[in-house]
């Protein structure tokens, strides 16, 4: 798998060779630069919480630098050249900046364990290679063989470590999936229980609403009946009050009429008494005047008799 199939993260064709230089190896495929879960370039770090490779994208600048470095690595024979510095730089470029920059060493170790190793001290295939080996001493040859054995042993241990890590990751992934399954079952049960409780709650709410509606209607009926009775009572009291006021009015009117009649009778009586008093006074005055006149005339007659007598 190469970067050519992932145009969304930058095409590797941009950094392809002119064809004049033979590509010694494919670092993209060997180092598994492309994430098979996403079929594109993502962070090459490991996400322990998810039990898989990180899926965070790499920014454009780091992608471009990584592509250029991969292009350069294609022309370097890792079996005869130490590419550790380039691998460290490549790891820094292809690890996400947010979480996994601390995994540079682990990633480089993984990559080193899968490098194509044929001979740590492989010579260029020239016509005089046999002559050059012929000039090596026995000690140098033994040292080279020993170093190659040590290198093979390191590669074997690295491969074993990688296999162990792979088995550990598979175990962790299996455990994670089992936990996810159990968690999913638990969540489904919780969801079912939640839905059951929700249905019961809704049923209780519906029954409560129906009960409240019945009570409301009953209260409304009772309120209507009470208002009807109160209206009848008010109307009865209003009629009684009206009748009482009418009777009271009639009584007052009757009393007023009687009072007017009494007052008229009183005034008439007083007028009669006044007239009688005036009449009696006139008669008394007239009698007094007559009596006075009579007395005067009688006195005159008496005086005249006396004069005549004497």
């Amino acid at each position: 798998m190469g970067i050519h199939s992932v145009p969304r993260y930058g095409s590797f064709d941009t950094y392809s060779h002119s064809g004049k230089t033979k590509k010694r190896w494919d670092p993209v495929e060997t180092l598994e630069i492309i994430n098979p879960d996403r079929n594109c370039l993502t962070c090459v770090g490991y996400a322990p919480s998810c039990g898989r490779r990180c899926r965070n994208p790499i920014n454009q600048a780091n992608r471009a630098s990584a592509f250029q470095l991969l292009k350069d690595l294609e022309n370097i024979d890792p079996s005869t050249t130490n590419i550790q510095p380039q691998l460290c730089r490549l790891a820094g470029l292809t690890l996400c900046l947010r979480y996994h920059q601390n995994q540079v060493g682990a990633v480089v170790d993984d990559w080193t364990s899968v490098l194509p190793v044929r001979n740590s001290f492989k010579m260029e295939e020239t016509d005089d290679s046999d002559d050059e080996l012929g000039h090596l001493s026995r000690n140098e040859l033994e040292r080279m063989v020993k170093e190659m054995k040590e290198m093979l042993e390191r590669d074997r241990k690295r491969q074993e470590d990688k296999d162990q890590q792979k088995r550990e990751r598979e175990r962790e992934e299996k455990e994670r999936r089992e936990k996810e399954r159990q968690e999913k079952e638990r969540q489904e049960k919780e969801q079912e229980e939640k839905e059951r409780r929700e249905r019961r709650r809704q049923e209780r709410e519906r029954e409560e609403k129906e009960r409240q509606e019945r009570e409301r209607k009953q209260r409304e009926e009772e309120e209507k009946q009470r208002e009807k009775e109160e209206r009848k009572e008010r109307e009865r009291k209003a009629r009684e009050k009206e009748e009482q006021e009418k009777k009271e009015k009639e009584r007052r009117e009757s009393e007023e009429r009687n009072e007017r009649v009494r007052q008229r009778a009183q005034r008439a009586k007083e007028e009669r008494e006044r007239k009688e008093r005036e009449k009696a006074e006139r008669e008394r005055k007239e009698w007094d005047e007559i009596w006075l006149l009579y007395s005067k005339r009688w006195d005159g007659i008496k005086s005249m008799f006396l004069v005549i007598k004497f």
Side-chain angles (χ1 to χ4, degrees):
M1 186 188 306
I3 303 179
H4 302 71
S5 61
V6 197
R8 61 176 292 192
Y9 287 111
S11 175
F12 193 63
D13 294 337
T14 308
Y15 308 98
S16 62
H17 303 287
S18 61
K20 296 181 180 180
T21 305
K22 182 180 179 180
K23 185 166 69 172
R24 296 178 178 272
W25 65 302
D26 187 355
V28 175
E29 183 175 359
T30 303
L31 304 181
E32 297 180 352
I33 298 297
I34 300 301
N35 188 343
D37 293 339
R38 288 289 184 268
N39 195 29
C40 62
L41 173 59
T42 66
C43 172
V44 296
Y46 180 69
S49 60
C50 300
R52 55 167 172 74
R53 175 172 169 175
C54 177
R55 294 174 178 175
N56 287 338
I58 304 301
N59 64 59
Q60 185 176 1
N62 284 359
R63 286 202 309 273
S65 299
F67 292 157
Q68 183 60 48
L69 185 54
L70 288 168
K71 170 188 171 184
D72 296 339
L73 285 173
E74 287 182 349
N75 301 320
I76 300 175
D77 189 349
S79 63
T80 60
T81 306
N82 181 17
I83 61 172
Q84 195 82 1
Q86 291 91 327
L87 293 180
C88 289
R89 182 166 176 261
L90 181 62
L93 293 172
T94 54
L95 286 167
C96 64
L97 300 177
R98 185 173 185 181
Y99 297 114
H100 298 132
Q101 283 294 311
N102 60 345
Q103 295 185 8
V104 171
V107 171
V108 171
D109 289 342
D110 290 343
W111 286 348
T112 304
S113 65
V114 298
L115 289 178
V117 178
R118 295 186 297 276
N119 188 339
S120 299
F121 298 93
K122 180 182 177 182
M123 302 300 178
E124 293 293 334
E125 295 180 356
T126 59
D127 294 338
D128 57 346
S129 59
D130 293 337
D131 294 337
E132 292 179 359
L133 290 174
H135 288 85
L136 297 175
S137 65
R138 179 180 181 84
N139 291 334
E140 291 176 343
L141 289 174
E142 289 177 353
R143 180 180 58 78
M144 292 174 60
V145 171
K146 183 180 178 181
E147 289 179 354
M148 184 166 60
K149 287 181 179 180
E150 291 176 352
M151 182 187 66
L152 291 174
E153 180 65 18
R154 288 195 301 272
D155 290 342
R156 184 185 65 79
K157 289 182 178 180
R158 288 174 180 170
Q159 186 62 36
E160 289 178 354
D161 292 341
K162 184 176 181 181
D163 293 341
Q164 180 63 24
Q165 292 177 0
K166 184 177 180 181
R167 288 192 296 272
E168 184 67 20
R169 291 176 182 176
E170 290 176 351
R171 183 185 63 79
E172 291 177 354
E173 178 68 15
K174 185 177 179 181
E175 291 178 354
R176 184 186 64 81
R177 290 179 179 176
E178 180 64 19
K179 289 181 180 179
E180 288 180 351
R181 184 188 64 79
Q182 294 177 357
E183 179 65 18
K184 184 177 180 181
E185 291 180 354
R186 184 187 65 80
Q187 291 179 356
E188 289 177 351
K189 289 181 180 179
E190 288 182 354
Q191 183 65 24
E192 290 178 358
E193 181 64 22
K194 183 178 179 181
E195 291 176 353
R196 187 162 54 252
R197 289 196 300 269
E198 181 65 19
R199 287 194 296 271
R200 289 200 298 267
R201 185 187 65 79
Q202 292 178 355
E203 181 66 19
R204 289 195 297 270
E205 288 182 353
R206 184 185 62 78
E207 293 176 353
E208 180 66 17
K209 287 181 179 179
E210 291 178 354
R211 183 187 64 79
Q212 291 178 357
E213 182 66 17
R214 288 194 301 270
E215 291 180 354
R216 185 186 64 80
K217 289 182 179 180
Q218 184 177 358
R219 286 195 301 271
E220 288 179 353
E221 290 295 329
E222 292 176 354
E223 183 68 17
K224 288 180 180 179
Q225 184 66 23
R226 185 180 61 82
E227 290 178 354
K228 184 178 180 181
E229 292 176 355
E230 288 179 353
R231 187 173 60 254
K232 288 182 179 180
E233 182 66 17
R234 287 195 300 271
E235 291 175 353
R236 183 186 65 78
K237 289 181 178 181
R239 286 194 301 271
E240 290 180 354
K241 183 178 180 181
E242 185 178 356
E243 291 176 358
Q244 186 177 359
E245 289 177 352
K246 183 178 180 181
K247 290 179 179 179
E248 182 66 19
K249 183 179 179 181
E250 290 177 352
R251 185 186 65 78
R252 288 197 303 269
E253 290 177 351
S254 176
E255 288 179 353
E256 289 175 356
R257 285 195 302 273
N258 293 336
E259 180 65 19
R260 287 195 298 272
V261 170
R262 188 187 64 78
Q263 289 178 359
R264 284 198 299 271
Q266 182 68 21
R267 286 196 298 273
K269 180 180 178 181
E270 291 176 354
E271 183 67 19
R272 286 194 305 272
E273 290 177 352
R274 184 184 62 78
K275 288 180 178 181
E276 288 176 356
R277 285 195 301 272
E278 290 179 354
K279 181 179 180 181
E281 184 68 21
R282 284 195 305 272
E283 289 177 353
R284 186 183 62 77
K285 286 181 179 181
E286 289 178 355
W287 176 256
D288 289 342
E289 290 177 358
I290 293 172
W291 177 257
L292 181 60
L293 181 61
Y294 173 77
S295 295
K296 287 180 178 180
R297 288 182 179 181
W298 176 252
D299 289 339
I301 293 174
K302 282 173 61 176
S303 298
M304 187 179 60
F305 282 145
L306 288 177
V307 171
I308 295 174
K309 182 177 179 180
F310 291 104

